[in-house]
């Protein structure tokens, strides 16, 4: 008889002298847990299975051909059957090599039961072991229910809570979003080697190889998945034996409650964050108060932040929920505020923050330069809006305000900018269009390289004398003396205005 404190596994039945089971194939799967013993003479019993069943047959269910025998074994393995028991010398047809090879490949134990041992003896053995296991599982379930008390009385983090649940359940526990990202802070996502065990349907079967996968529900949708895998090797000694599907279902409920609590907290912080960002944009908070608010909302003290402005560009209104989801998944501290047609986001400056903004679907993004929290957002807002306009003009999904300080002094009215471009650069632009030349681009390249003829010519892949000729031609058409500080300043501002208007690369 199996020890009452241990989960029933196939090898326990093989070692039972009363049953006299003989293993024909699939020895690698003898560690599989057994949840029930059931007689089936159907060629495809899988629609009625939950997983981990011991299937017994007199042989009527076994097909005769090699192809159908292989398919029969494949179906049972896919359904998570613990083992297949055949009654010797009754209706079992000759077992093809394909049948036994497939059982070995899928580690599905196939065993032969002597004719003198009835199926009821196997069922009684399983039932007795499961009855003892049920008593243990009942105790485990009560302790899992006490997780709700732990949450209320001990203020556990999600990581601490799931470590306790791992020890109680006997499983390694993983949580993830439907896309495979983190669902709760501190709780690990499934390792890459188990990624294929995540469901690809809305109503997945609960059983997977070595454990279970269950949805974590949320209002109107699935928040993510709980993957519970039996512990292997040394880790099995860290806690109890695997407690079964019922306990895992209770853990999924605890996970759903925890997700709901975390999302409620996030929503509360998000509302507070929106209020703080509105006050920062209105410049009604003094620097010390602003820093205290940001620290309470998750920003590190005196760490640089960015202001981003997002809109939907040509794709229509932006999906605010998609933006929030991307930022939540990135784990970068952030505040979000909807203002008219644009979405304002204040976030901690980091490569992860910039990378997250580039993944927002159907969004056009303008980003300010980094600045220290507590400073007025007026300048950062202007920079972000200018960068957003640049993104719109260039067709890019995101533009970051550069260290070039010139653009902040340009007028906001596009008609004024176009007027400046036409007044200073109009003749040269028309000449370039008519003759396929590059006078304006040459002047821009020369000024960007601090009027170094050699560097600009190299960048343009032309001879320095050719560049000098182009500059003289540009000066003549524009009516500006490039040796004059006043004229040079006007040309530079006109070039920057042309860039913002989308009339230059």
């Amino acid at each position: 008889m199996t020890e009452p404190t241990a989960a029933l596994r196939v090898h326990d039945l093989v070692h039972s002298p009363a049953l006299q089971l003989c293993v024909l194939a699939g020895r690698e799967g003898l560690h599989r847990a057994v949840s029930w013993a059931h007689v089936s003479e159907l060629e495809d019993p899988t629609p009625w299975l939950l997983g981990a069943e011991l299937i017994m047959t007199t042989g009527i269910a076994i097909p005769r051909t090699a192809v159908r025998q292989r398919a029969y074994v494949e179906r049972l393995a896919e359904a998570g059957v613990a083992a297949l028991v055949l009654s010797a010398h009754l209706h079992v047809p000759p077992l093809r090599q394909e049948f036994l090879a497939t059982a070995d490949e899928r580690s599905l134990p196939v065993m032969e039961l002597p004719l003198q041992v009835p199926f009821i003896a196997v069922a009684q053995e399983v039932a007795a072991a499961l009855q003892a296991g049920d008593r243990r599982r009942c105790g485990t379930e009560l302790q899992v229910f006490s997780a709700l008390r732990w949450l209320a009385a001990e203020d556990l983090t999600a990581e601490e809570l799931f470590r306790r649940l791992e020890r109680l359940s006997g499983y390694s526990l993983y949580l993830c979003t439907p896309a495979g990202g983190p669902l709760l802070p501190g709780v690990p996502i499934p390792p890459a080697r188990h990624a294929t065990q995540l469901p690809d349907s809305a109503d997945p079967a609960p059983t997977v190889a070595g454990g279970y996968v269950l949805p974590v529900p949320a209002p109107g949708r699935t928040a993510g998945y709980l993957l519970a895998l039996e512990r292997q090797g040394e880790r099995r000694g860290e806690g109890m034996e695997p407690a079964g599907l019922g306990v895992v279902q209770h853990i999924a409920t605890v996970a759903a409650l925890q997700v709901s609590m975390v999302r409620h907290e996030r929503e509360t912080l998000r509302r507070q964050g929106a209020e703080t960002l509105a006050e920062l944009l209105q410049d009604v908070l003094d620097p010390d108060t602003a820093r205290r608010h940001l620290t309470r909302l998750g920003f590190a003290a005196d760490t640089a932040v960015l202001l981003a402005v997002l809109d939907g560009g040509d794709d229509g209104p932006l999906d605010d929920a998609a933006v929030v989801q991307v930022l939540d998944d990135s784990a970068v501290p952030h505040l979000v505020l909807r203002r008219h047609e644009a979405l304002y986001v204040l976030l901690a400056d980091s490569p992860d923050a910039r990378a997250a903004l580039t993944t927002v679907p159907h969004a056009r993004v303008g980003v300010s330069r980094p600045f220290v929290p507590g400073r007025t957002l007026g300048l950062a807002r202007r920079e972000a809006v200018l960068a957003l306009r640049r993104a719109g003009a260039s067709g890019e999904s995101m533009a970051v305000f550069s260290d070039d300080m010139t653009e902040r002094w340009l007028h906001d009215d596009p008609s004024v900018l176009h007027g400046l471009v036409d007044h200073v650069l109009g003749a040269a632009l028309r000449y370039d269009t008519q003759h396929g030349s590059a006078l304006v681009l040459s002047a821009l390249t020369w000024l960007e390289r601090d009027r170094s003829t050699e560097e600009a010519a190299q960048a343009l892949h032309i001879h320095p004398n050719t560049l000098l000729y182009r500059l003289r031609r540009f000066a003549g058409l524009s009516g500006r003396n490039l040796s004059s500080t006043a004229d040079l300043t006007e040309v530079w501002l006109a070039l920057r205005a042309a860039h913002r208007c989308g009339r230059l690369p």
Side-chain angles (χ1 to χ4, degrees):
M1 178 66 68
T2 305
E3 291 295 325
T5 57
L8 179 65
R9 299 184 181 275
V10 177
H11 60 66
D12 297 318
L13 299 173
V14 173
H15 295 154
S16 172
L19 300 183
Q20 305 176 50
L21 288 166
C22 174
V23 180
L24 302 179
R27 287 185 175 274
E28 294 296 322
L30 293 179
H31 65 280
R32 293 190 179 200
V34 179
S35 67
W36 196 246
H38 188 70
V39 177
S40 175
E41 303 298 352
L42 297 175
E43 186 171 336
D44 184 10
T46 57
W48 293 272
L49 302 179
L50 291 176
E53 294 91 352
L54 183 81
I55 298 298
M56 299 178 288
T57 176
T58 61
I60 297 175
I62 308 297
R64 268 53 183 169
T65 68
V67 172
R68 291 175 63 193
Q69 284 190 3
R70 172 182 281 275
Y72 175 76
V73 175
E74 290 281 2
R75 282 194 296 272
L76 297 184
E78 288 293 333
V81 167
L84 176 66
V85 174
L86 310 175
S87 182
H89 309 303
L90 277 179
H91 305 290
V92 178
L95 298 180
R96 309 293 183 177
Q97 182 58 37
E98 289 82 356
F99 179 98
L100 300 174
T102 304
D104 285 331
E105 291 169 8
R106 301 301 299 266
S107 298
L108 176 66
V110 176
M111 299 174 291
E112 188 176 64
L113 184 71
L115 185 59
Q116 64 270 23
V117 180
F119 286 161
I120 191 65
V122 179
Q124 287 176 338
E125 185 94 5
V126 171
L130 294 180
Q131 185 177 18
D134 284 343
R135 290 195 296 269
R136 177 180 61 81
R137 278 193 294 274
C138 183
T140 302
E141 289 177 7
L142 291 175
Q143 293 184 71
V144 170
F145 281 130
S146 71
L148 303 179
R149 178 175 55 81
W150 300 339
L151 285 173
E154 301 184 40
D155 195 25
L156 297 180
T157 65
E159 180 180 9
E160 293 167 335
L161 173 65
F162 274 81
R163 282 179 181 172
R164 288 196 186 184
L165 293 174
E166 278 193 330
R167 290 193 295 270
L168 281 173
S169 66
Y171 294 97
S172 295
L173 301 176
Y174 305 96
L175 284 173
C176 67
T177 64
L183 184 61
L184 286 175
V187 181
I189 63 174
R193 65 181 182 278
H194 294 298
T196 56
Q197 293 179 295
L198 296 177
D200 54 7
S201 65
D203 187 22
T207 304
V208 296
Y212 304 97
V213 61
L214 294 173
V216 178
R221 61 191 180 88
T222 296
Y225 295 97
L226 168 70
L227 180 62
L229 298 177
E230 297 177 8
R231 298 185 178 196
Q232 301 296 324
E234 295 180 1
R235 292 211 68 196
R236 183 170 292 177
E238 296 178 11
M240 301 178 67
E241 286 286 328
L245 177 59
V247 168
V248 176
Q249 289 173 325
H250 293 317
I251 294 175
T253 301
V254 172
L257 291 173
Q258 185 74 350
V259 167
S260 177
M261 292 169 60
V262 168
R263 292 191 171 178
H264 177 73
E265 292 171 1
R266 283 180 179 173
E267 188 57 38
T268 300
L269 290 175
R270 187 167 291 123
R271 287 195 296 269
Q272 295 174 354
E275 294 172 1
T276 297
L277 183 51
E279 292 173 334
L280 289 171
L281 289 169
Q282 295 167 8
D283 199 19
V284 298
L285 295 179
D286 63 84
D288 288 340
T289 302
R291 280 191 287 269
R292 284 198 302 273
H293 282 10
L294 291 175
T295 300
R296 179 171 52 82
L297 292 167
F299 288 78
D302 298 326
T303 298
V305 296
L306 302 169
L307 183 67
V309 182
L310 297 81
D311 67 18
D314 297 331
D315 294 323
L318 188 64
D319 184 355
D320 293 8
V323 178
V324 169
Q325 186 62 56
V326 167
L327 294 172
D328 283 347
D329 290 345
S330 72
V332 175
H334 60 274
L335 310 180
V336 180
L337 175 67
R338 164 60 67 179
R339 275 286 183 87
H340 308 299
E341 298 301 318
L343 195 69
Y344 287 82
V345 179
L346 184 75
L347 65 171
D349 180 29
S350 70
D352 289 343
R354 297 170 188 258
L357 290 173
T358 63
T359 62
V360 176
H362 311 299
R364 186 170 56 188
V365 187
V367 185
S368 74
R369 292 179 302 159
F371 60 96
V372 177
R375 197 187 77 184
T376 177
L377 296 192
L379 179 59
R381 180 180 185 179
R382 180 175 173 82
E383 292 177 351
V385 170
L386 289 174
L388 181 65
R389 290 176 182 168
R390 184 188 300 167
S394 64
E396 299 173 347
S397 61
M398 186 174 82
V400 180
F401 191 86
S402 67
D403 289 331
D404 177 9
M405 305 287 285
T406 307
E407 287 195 22
R408 73 178 62 187
W409 309 118
L410 294 174
H411 204 284
D412 287 335
D413 188 342
S415 64
V416 175
L417 296 178
H418 283 290
L420 174 61
V421 174
D422 291 336
H423 178 64
V424 179
L425 306 177
L429 286 171
R430 287 191 294 273
Y431 183 89
D432 281 344
T433 300
Q434 293 168 3
H435 298 86
S437 55
L439 300 183
V440 177
L441 177 61
S442 297
L444 174 63
T445 305
W446 179 66
L447 289 174
E448 285 179 336
R449 284 155 180 78
D450 297 325
R451 291 171 288 172
S452 170
T453 303
E454 292 290 337
E455 290 185 17
Q458 186 176 4
L460 293 166
H461 305 290
I462 60 177
H463 194 277
N465 289 338
T466 304
L467 176 59
L468 291 174
Y469 167 77
R470 290 182 181 179
L471 293 176
R472 288 194 296 270
R473 192 80 180 99
F474 172 84
L477 289 168
S478 65
R480 267 67 180 178
N481 180 3
L482 299 184
S483 298
S484 164
T485 300
D487 285 0
L488 198 63
T489 301
E490 192 175 23
V491 168
W492 179 246
L493 286 171
L495 288 168
R496 301 312 298 165
H499 183 273
R500 189 194 295 181
C501 294
R503 295 173 67 174
L504 280 181

